[in-house]
């Protein structure tokens, strides 16, 4: 299919939006697996940017990033949350968060960090989440934990806050 110059110009004129996807892994005690990037301050979930040039879907991106970052290749569960995060010095972000499931002791022993990007990993209790993941990401994780606990559908968020 050939695109006309007018259509190509139209597409080029559209605003840019970033897209990221992550997985929410927990241990049997409900603690959340976080990773510590070496390229910025703070903690994160296993995940990253969706490679849309390759036609990667959000689910595929979360699975790929999980394999790259922590060495676990797991089928992801349901979509827990979609968050529209306003840009502050960058384009807005659409963040997809999937259920990574419960990790066994064997899974935790199999975690292998991507040394080019990550310094460490840890399991964090719910009450400590916002101390490690401030702002929209912390609120997104807490909402996703609520969705898992109450069995409700996917949460729609804006900057980590539920949209009614």
């Amino acid at each position: 299919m050939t695109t006309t110059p007018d259509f190509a110009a139209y597409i080029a004129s559209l605003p840019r939006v970033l897209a990221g996807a992550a997985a929410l892994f927990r241990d049997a005690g409900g603690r959340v697996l976080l990773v510590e990037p070496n390229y910025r301050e703070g903690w994160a979930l296993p995940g990253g940017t969706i490679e849309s040039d390759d036609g990667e879907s959000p689910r595929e991106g979360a699975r790929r990033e999980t394999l790259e970052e922590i060495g676990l290749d797991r089928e992801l569960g349901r979509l827990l949350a979609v968050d529209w995060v306003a840009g502050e010095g960058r384009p807005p972000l659409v963040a997809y968060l999937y259920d990574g499931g419960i990790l066994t002791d064997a899974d935790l022993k199999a975690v292998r960090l991507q040394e080019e990007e990550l310094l460490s990993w840890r399991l964090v209790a719910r009450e400590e989440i916002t101390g490690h993941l401030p702002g929209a990401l912390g609120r997104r994780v807490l909402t996703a934990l609520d969705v898992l606990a109450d069995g409700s559908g996917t949460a729609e968020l804006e900057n980590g806050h539920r949209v009614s």
Side-chain angles (χ1 to χ4, degrees):
M1 177 177 153
T2 306
T3 59
T4 64
D6 289 341
F7 184 71
Y10 166 71
I11 294 297
S13 74
L14 293 175
R16 300 254 184 247
V17 175
L18 303 175
L24 182 67
F25 293 103
R26 287 110 41 231
D27 71 356
R31 296 177 300 172
V32 175
L33 186 143
L34 302 182
V35 294
E36 181 184 21
N38 63 15
Y39 52 86
R40 66 175 172 82
E41 291 291 319
W43 293 81
L45 293 171
T49 303
I50 299 165
E51 295 180 358
S52 59
D53 290 345
D54 296 338
E56 183 174 71
S57 72
R59 179 178 294 279
E60 291 167 339
R63 185 172 183 170
R64 175 188 51 76
E65 286 283 346
T66 296
L67 175 59
E68 289 175 7
E69 290 188 351
I70 61 172
L72 298 180
D73 186 17
R74 295 174 58 111
E75 179 121 3
L76 299 177
R78 68 186 179 106
L79 179 63
L80 301 173
V82 178
D83 196 359
W84 174 267
V85 183
E88 295 175 16
R90 62 157 174 73
L93 167 71
V94 178
Y96 298 84
L97 183 52
Y98 293 92
D99 181 6
I102 305 294
L103 298 176
T104 65
D105 288 341
D107 292 327
L108 293 169
K109 288 178 184 164
V111 169
R112 298 291 176 260
L113 291 179
Q114 181 184 30
E115 293 179 6
E116 298 83 19
E117 292 186 14
L118 300 176
L119 297 170
S120 65
W121 66 275
R122 68 171 35 165
L123 294 166
V124 176
R126 179 190 176 94
E127 56 273 7
E128 299 172 13
I129 291 291
T130 56
H132 288 83
L133 304 174
L137 179 54
R139 292 188 298 270
R140 185 179 321 133
V141 170
L142 292 177
T143 299
L145 291 171
D146 291 343
V147 164
L148 284 165
D150 66 23
S152 60
T154 302
E156 178 186 355
L157 308 171
E158 290 181 7
N159 297 308
H161 299 284
R162 271 191 191 252
V163 175
S164 44

